Amino acid sequence: MTIGDGLVAIAAALAVMTGIFSTAGQGYVAAKAVEAVGKNPEAENEIRTMLILGAGIAETAAIYGLLIAFLILFAY
Amino acid sequence: MTIGDGLVAIAAALAVMTGIFSTAGQGYVAAKAVEAVGKNPEAENEIRTMLILGAGIAETAAIYGLLIAFLILFAY
Amino acid sequence: MTIGDGLVAIAAALAVMTGIFSTAGQGYVAAKAVEAVGKNPEAENEIRTMLILGAGIAETAAIYGLLIAFLILFAY
Amino acid sequence: MTIGDGLVAIAAALAVMTGIFSTAGQGYVAAKAVEAVGKNPEAENEIRTMLILGAGIAETAAIYGLLIAFLILFAY
Amino acid sequence: MTIGDGLVAIAAALAVMTGIFSTAGQGYVAAKAVEAVGKNPEAENEIRTMLILGAGIAETAAIYGLLIAFLILFAY
């Protein structure tokens, strides 16, 4: 591989690293969901719905990074 | 690929990394939404509306980064 | 190995490092689950379900990184 | 060893460093388990089960990093 | 020694640094164990068991780093 190939591979890695705080952010959401269901188990359905919606919104940037990583590796 | 090609790919990766704290910030919004719905399940609709509005506003910079990443890769 | 090969290997390592905050984020979820089950052992089932769901959502970005690491090593 | 060989070794090291926050994250889980069992020793079984489950989930990314480190050293 | 040899040595050092937060994380567990046994000395056995289990789980990633450091030095 040339140095140029290596830099392109590093670019793909950096792109997917956009999601690096995803487990931290979504972990915080999940922690609050676990705490809420421990306090109020009857609201489990509402809590789960909100967890999935909120975490889905927080997922978008990680997916943007994954998309650019694919494009750099295979369409560039 | 040349070193120049590699640097352009790294530029695209850096651009999409603009959204790197997006999951952290939106995760915090989502965590508070989950907490609020656990305390007050009847307000689920109002909480969801506020979550979507707030997280949508927080999404904008991540989309700017994605846009510039596309332009660097395909229109530069 | 050439310098280009070395850069590609570093790229794979950076990609898998996307999951670096995973133990922190999911550890926070798990900590809250442990705390919740200590306070309210009868809600163990609801708490465990929410833990698995929430942590699974938070796992996604780490898996994106693992996937790109594999692609960089073996399909690039 | 060539510089390329050295970069590959550094890549393996970076890959295994994915688990760097593991003792922090899992330490937090363990701390909460110790605290919970101190407050409510009768719930020891539920607390231990949740600790093992939660910490196991949080371990995954560290294992991904270990796997990529092995692949970089021996299969690349 | 060549530059390549130096990079390999640095790689081994980085690998073992995976355990860098171990004293912080496990120190936190031990602190909570001390606190819990101070509040509730009759639960000493349960607390000690949980401390050993929890700290053992938190040790794993540090051991992964040690393993990769050995492999980089002697099997690479």
Side-chain angles (χ1 to χ4, degrees):
Chain A
M1 301 253 181
T2 66
I3 292 179
D5 290 330
L7 292 177
V8 168
I10 285 178
L14 291 177
V16 80
M17 287 179 84
T18 302
I20 198 167
F21 294 117
S22 180
T23 51
Q26 291 180 337
Y28 189 60
V29 186
K32 286 296 175 190
V34 164
E35 196 173 53
V37 87
K39 280 183 191 156
N40 189 357
E42 311 88 64
E44 198 192 350
N45 276 327
E46 288 87 346
I47 292 167
R48 191 174 47 234
T49 305
M50 201 58 77
L51 166 64
I52 292 172
L53 173 65
I57 291 171
E59 186 80 15
T60 52
I63 292 173
Y64 299 166
L66 181 65
L67 172 67
I68 296 294
F70 275 121
L71 292 175
I72 288 171
L73 284 180
F74 299 114
Y76 179 61
Chain B
M1 301 251 181
T2 66
I3 292 179
D5 290 330
L7 293 177
V8 168
I10 285 177
L14 290 177
V16 80
M17 287 179 84
T18 303
I20 197 167
F21 293 117
S22 178
T23 51
Q26 291 179 336
Y28 188 62
V29 184
K32 287 297 174 188
V34 164
E35 196 172 52
V37 87
K39 279 182 191 157
N40 189 357
E42 310 88 64
E44 197 191 352
N45 277 326
E46 288 86 346
I47 293 168
R48 189 173 50 234
T49 305
M50 200 60 78
L51 167 63
I52 292 172
L53 173 65
I57 291 170
E59 185 79 16
T60 52
I63 292 173
Y64 300 165
L66 180 65
L67 173 66
I68 295 296
F70 275 122
L71 292 176
I72 288 172
L73 285 179
F74 299 113
Y76 179 62
Chain C
M1 301 252 181
T2 67
I3 292 179
D5 290 330
L7 292 177
V8 168
I10 285 178
L14 291 177
V16 81
M17 287 179 84
T18 302
I20 198 167
F21 294 117
S22 180
T23 51
Q26 291 180 338
Y28 188 61
V29 187
K32 286 296 174 188
V34 164
E35 195 173 53
V37 87
K39 280 183 191 156
N40 189 357
E42 310 88 64
E44 198 193 351
N45 276 327
E46 287 87 344
I47 292 166
R48 191 176 46 234
T49 305
M50 202 59 78
L51 166 64
I52 293 172
L53 174 65
I57 290 171
E59 186 80 16
T60 52
I63 292 173
Y64 299 166
L66 181 66
L67 172 67
I68 296 294
F70 276 121
L71 291 176
I72 288 171
L73 284 180
F74 299 114
Y76 180 61
Chain D
M1 301 251 181
T2 66
I3 292 179
D5 290 330
L7 292 178
V8 169
I10 284 178
L14 291 177
V16 80
M17 287 179 84
T18 303
I20 198 167
F21 295 117
S22 181
T23 51
Q26 291 180 337
Y28 188 60
V29 186
K32 286 296 175 188
V34 164
E35 195 173 54
V37 87
K39 280 183 191 156
N40 189 357
E42 310 88 63
E44 198 193 351
N45 276 327
E46 288 87 344
I47 292 166
R48 192 176 46 236
T49 304
M50 203 59 79
L51 166 64
I52 292 172
L53 173 65
I57 290 171
E59 186 80 16
T60 52
I63 292 173
Y64 299 165
L66 181 66
L67 172 67
I68 296 294
F70 276 121
L71 291 176
I72 288 171
L73 284 179
F74 300 114
Y76 179 61
Chain E
M1 300 244 183
T2 65
I3 292 179
D5 291 329
L7 292 177
V8 169
I10 285 178
L14 290 177
V16 80
M17 285 178 80
T18 303
I20 199 168
F21 295 116
S22 181
T23 51
Q26 291 180 338
Y28 188 62
V29 186
K32 286 294 176 188
V34 165
E35 195 173 53
V37 89
K39 280 183 191 157
N40 189 358
E42 310 89 64
E44 196 195 350
N45 276 327
E46 288 88 343
I47 292 167
R48 192 177 45 236
T49 305
M50 203 60 79
L51 167 64
I52 292 171
L53 174 64
I57 290 172
E59 186 78 16
T60 52
I63 293 172
Y64 300 165
L66 180 65
L67 173 67
I68 296 295
F70 275 121
L71 292 175
I72 288 172
L73 285 179
F74 300 115
Y76 179 61

